[in-house]
Structure formats: structure tokens, C-alpha cells
Amino acid sequence: MSNVILRPDWYLPDSAATDPSLYLNRRQVLRTLGLGTIGLATLGAGCGNANGTSVGADSAAAPRSSPRPDGPLDTIPANAPRDGYPAMRVTEGFPEPGRPITERLTASSYNNFYEFRNQGDLKDLWHLTADYEPFPWTIEVRGEVEQPMTLDVADLITEMDLEERVYRFRCVEAWSMTIPWTGFPLRKLIEKCAPNSNARFVRFVSVNRPEQMPGLANSPWYPWPYFEALRMDEAMNDLALVATGMYGEPLPKQNGSPLRLALPWKYGYKGPKAFVLLEFTREQPPTFWNELQPAEYSFLSNVNPTVPHPRWSQASERFLLSDTEGERVPTLMFNGYAEQVGALYPDEPQG
Ligand SMILES: Nc1nc2c(c(=O)[nH]1)N[C@H]1C(S)=C(S)[C@@H](COP(=O)(O)O)O[C@H]1N2
Ligand SMILES: [Mo]
């Protein structure tokens, strides 16, 4: 489907990006930017008064046996398939992001992945992923399908034509990045699953391994495992991507290895990481954040600057270019993808 294919440009060695002092200074830098405050506000949003820092996180932590990774990119699993990497960049069918790509180390060291959250700087979790072993990995497919099946993810990655897509990424907490994902359309995965004509929604459930994921052990008040869902017409949209990699390589663990969804018109939490189940349903399934705080996190959760979060405006966002550069910019309708997805949401204010 692509006439325009560009070779990714960020393979050029960039010594600045690998200077450890950059990420060692992160906390300090983010505090200066005011991001620490946003993070704390969101913690309250997500789990009410069950504030993670008040729990004896160390005593509850899963035993950690593997050595701490040296840096955020050392968490790319050694046994992740690399066939098809780096993939050719596709630019047809959706707009250019209109802003530069976020620095790679920032995208892999400022994360939301509650299964790994511990204490302190809650975004700083890459070093807690040592015990997590994504491969081998299978996905169970069930519900309204012709035939339930189990898919091996390494096979899937090898068999799919991988492509690179540079998407804008917007978290509900009002920060954003620009990410070069590697992956394949969710539509292709769904076609492989062969849903029947009763299927109106598709539900995703993330992995639940408390012995490998310290955040699971430390936050029993959440309804683990993480669960999300989309309407079928959303899931079949061209923009919906199954990401298996980023920046030309397989996903680091903290970014959702071995696979996660990238839905650029929705708030980040609509894209489950590390899912192990795909279930096709007739009825709208419950979703994790919506179940916890329905007034704050809707089922659709499209990026919409005219619909404020009850506790903050969504009209603008802090665009994180690097650990030290975070400019406040206006948020765009459907995160800039209104032309691609606006017709799916006739009831949503689009002014
Ligand atoms: N399983 C799972 N998936 C998840 C989350 C999570 O905590 N657990 N966090 C979500 C949120 S809030 C965001 S913003 C993105 C963050 O992706 P990143 O860390 O790769 O930027 O993942 C989403 N997917
Ligand atoms: Mo998020």
C-alpha cells in the first residue's frame, strides 16, 4: 500500500543519545520540567487513595534474580525475532507527525507500565524488568471466532510484513511523544483470527506474572491483569497497529515486549502492552481504567482537546522531544488523525 518508503534516519550513531549521564539525570530534569507533578496527579487519578508509595514496596517486591540491565535499551530481549528489522517506513494513508521524533532513550525511560511500577519515580521502570522474559509468547484467541486458536508471537512477527510508522503518541496525562513504531496492522491479526459475524468488539488482556513484574506484586488493589477493548470498526481501521518494535529494533521490555497496540488517535492507555488474549465479543467489554474511574476514563478515550479530563485540561500537551526538552503545544482533534477516524465517532464533539 505504500508508494513512499523512506529509510529510517535514526540509525545514524548518536553518541549523545547513549550518554548515561542523560538518563541518570532524568529525575532531576523531569522535576524541573514539572512532570513529576503530573505523574503524581495521575497516580491519584488511577488508584484513588490507594497510593502506591504508602505500601511497603520492598517487602512485597517479587524476588529479583536477574542482574539489573545497564540501560534502557539493554532490555530488548536477546531472543526477540529480528527478521524484517529495520522495516521500511510507510508514510501513505496518514499524516506526517509534523514534529520531530522523540529521542530514543527518552521513549524507553519515561514509561507507563503499571505492572512494573514500584516506588519513587513511577515512570522510571526499565530497570525493574530484568526478570521478565517475553519470549516464547503465545496469544490465545477465543470468543466469537470460527475456531479458537493459539498464536505463537515469534512466528507471527516472522510471518507478517513489518512496516515502520511514525505516529504521534498522546498520554491522557497530557504529555506526548513522536514514536517510530515497527509492526503490522491490527486488521491483519484480526483477519487471521477469523471472527464470526457476531463479533462487535475485541478485547485484549495483558500478561499477569507477579513473579516477573514487581508492580503486580506491589499493587494488589488494581484489578489485574490489565484489560482493554475496541469496537471492531476501530480495530479494523488502517491506523491501528500491532507494534512489535520501535526505533528499528524489537520493543524493549518496558515498552511492551513482545507486542502492544499503537492507536495514535486514542489516549495511550487504550493500547495494551504484552497482551496474551484476544477475545471477540457481542457486548462491549469492561476496560481497566474505565472500570476504576468511569468519570475520568471513557471507553472510547479518543484524544479530544475540547473534552477536558475532570481534573485537567486536554487542550494542550507537553511534547517530550528529549529528557530536557518538553515544549507545551496545542492538542489536536483525534491527535491529528481526524481525517482517518473522525467518521467513526459521529456523536463526539469535534469542534
Ligand atoms: N499492560 C499495560 N499496558 C499499558 C499500560 C500499563 O500500565 N499496562 N499503560 C498504558 C499507558 S497509560 C500508556 S501512556 C502507554 C505507555 O507506553 P510507553 O511506556 O511505551 O510510552 O502504555 C499503555 N499500555
Ligand atoms: Mo497514559
Side-chain angles (χ1 to χ4, degrees):
M1 70 168 263
S2 53
N3 294 331
V4 189
I5 292 177
L6 297 174
R7 191 150 188 96
D9 51 12
W10 32 256
Y11 297 108
L12 301 173
D14 178 357
S15 54
T18 53
D19 177 354
S21 68
L22 278 182
Y23 55 81
L24 291 178
N25 283 334
R26 261 191 65 257
R27 285 182 195 185
Q28 204 185 337
V29 164
L30 294 173
R31 210 172 292 130
T32 314
L33 288 173
L35 290 169
T37 316
I38 294 173
L40 286 177
T42 306
L43 179 71
C47 57
N49 57 8
N51 189 314
T53 52
S54 65
V55 170
D58 275 334
S59 55
R64 205 166 300 138
S65 47
S66 315
R68 179 190 160 111
D70 289 336
L73 302 181
D74 290 328
T75 66
I76 297 173
N79 56 355
R82 285 182 174 261
D83 301 351
Y85 291 93
M88 290 296 111
R89 183 177 294 177
V90 171
T91 61
E92 199 189 59
F94 56 93
E96 298 277 341
R99 61 193 190 194
I101 288 175
T102 294
E103 192 179 286
R104 187 179 185 186
L105 274 183
T106 301
S108 286
S109 61
Y110 186 79
N111 297 105
N112 269 336
F113 200 165
Y114 280 52
E115 288 88 331
F116 288 103
R117 279 162 57 129
N118 207 319
Q119 55 187 349
D121 179 351
L122 296 169
K123 304 288 185 198
D124 178 27
L125 47 81
W126 57 267
H127 55 93
L128 301 171
T129 63
D131 288 338
Y132 174 53
E133 289 292 343
F135 292 97
W137 189 277
T138 54
I139 298 175
E140 188 194 337
V141 178
R142 69 180 191 206
E144 299 290 351
V145 286
E146 279 161 26
Q147 180 83 57
M149 61 179 96
T150 300
L151 299 172
D152 181 85
V153 167
D155 291 349
L156 202 61
I157 294 171
T158 308
E159 147 196 338
M160 291 286 180
D161 287 329
L162 298 185
E163 53 187 80
E164 180 181 78
R165 298 184 181 202
V166 183
Y167 278 169
R168 299 160 64 98
F169 178 85
R170 171 66 154 77
C171 175
V172 71
E173 299 160 359
W175 54 268
S176 65
M177 297 186 184
T178 311
I179 309 279
W181 301 109
T182 305
F184 51 86
L186 175 57
R187 189 185 57 249
K188 291 192 180 169
L189 175 58
I190 289 177
E191 283 164 359
K192 208 177 162 64
C193 299
N196 65 36
S197 57
N198 292 325
R200 292 176 55 234
F201 295 89
V202 55
R203 169 176 182 255
F204 300 82
V205 178
S206 295
V207 76
N208 189 11
R209 298 184 184 169
E211 71 290 356
Q212 296 187 5
M213 304 172 123
L216 288 174
N218 291 334
S219 53
W221 53 84
Y222 286 124
W224 302 116
Y226 196 85
F227 48 103
E228 256 303 337
L230 299 168
R231 291 190 330 221
M232 281 296 275
D233 60 341
E234 300 181 297
M236 297 296 278
N237 187 275
D238 268 344
L239 284 180
L241 193 74
V242 177
T244 61
M246 62 199 299
Y247 297 84
E249 290 195 82
L251 287 174
K253 293 178 188 177
Q254 64 275 19
N255 293 105
S257 176
L259 83 179
R260 53 95 60 83
L261 296 188
L263 309 166
W265 73 100
K266 290 185 178 286
Y267 291 121
Y269 64 87
K270 289 296 295 181
K273 294 175 169 178
F275 55 88
V276 291
L277 175 75
L278 238 84
E279 183 173 17
F280 295 87
T281 66
R282 297 169 188 240
E283 305 301 328
Q284 180 177 306
T287 56
F288 187 89
W289 288 109
N290 179 247
E291 189 164 280
L292 285 162
Q293 295 279 1
E296 305 200 346
Y297 309 102
S298 67
F299 176 81
L300 290 177
S301 284
N302 296 315
V303 177
N304 192 325
T306 73
V307 180
H309 185 279
R311 291 182 294 107
W312 59 84
S313 165
Q314 294 290 26
S316 70
E317 64 203 53
R318 196 178 296 276
F319 169 59
L320 302 181
L321 178 60
S322 68
D323 287 356
T324 51
E325 290 161 279
E327 198 193 340
R328 191 153 279 278
V329 299
T331 290
L332 305 181
M333 182 59 61
F334 297 128
N335 202 23
Y337 301 96
E339 203 181 309
Q340 284 67 39
V341 299
L344 297 177
Y345 309 107
D347 298 335
E348 182 150 343
Q350 299 190 20

